[in-house]
Amino acid sequence: MGWIPLRTHSQYTVLGSTVSIKALVERAAEWKLDSLALTDVGNMYGAIDFYKECKGVGIQPILGLE
């Protein structure tokens, strides 16, 4: 078991991040991560897209809310 980023924000965290979910998952796949979390601030608008993108490349999605 390696490192798993658990505090990750996407474009849906206003003024906190500009990374798209697709780009986030692509980078995680490049780094060969087993799991990846999405913990946007105050909303879960990207949860379904994040889940589908992760499953599409074999990464275990972890959903949260900050």
Side-chain angles (χ1 to χ4, degrees), residues 7-8 11 14-15 24 30 36 39 52 57 66:
R7 187 171 182 241
T8 309
Q11 64 197 18
V14 179
L15 301 176
L24 182 65
E30 286 176 19
L36 180 64
T39 55
K52 289 178 181 178
V57 295
E66 186 175 326

Side-chain angles (χ1 to χ4, degrees), residues 18-61:
T18 59
V19 67
S20 70
I21 290 182
K22 184 171 182 69
L24 182 65
V25 173
E26 285 174 355
R27 182 56 55 103
E30 286 176 19
W31 290 347
K32 296 179 177 45
L33 296 179
D34 296 331
S35 302
L36 180 64
L38 180 67
T39 55
D40 282 327
V41 177
N43 69 73
M44 294 187 75
Y45 298 133
I48 293 172
D49 291 337
F50 177 74
Y51 181 87
K52 289 178 181 178
E53 289 285 335
C54 283
K55 287 298 189 176
V57 295
I59 294 175
Q60 176 65 40

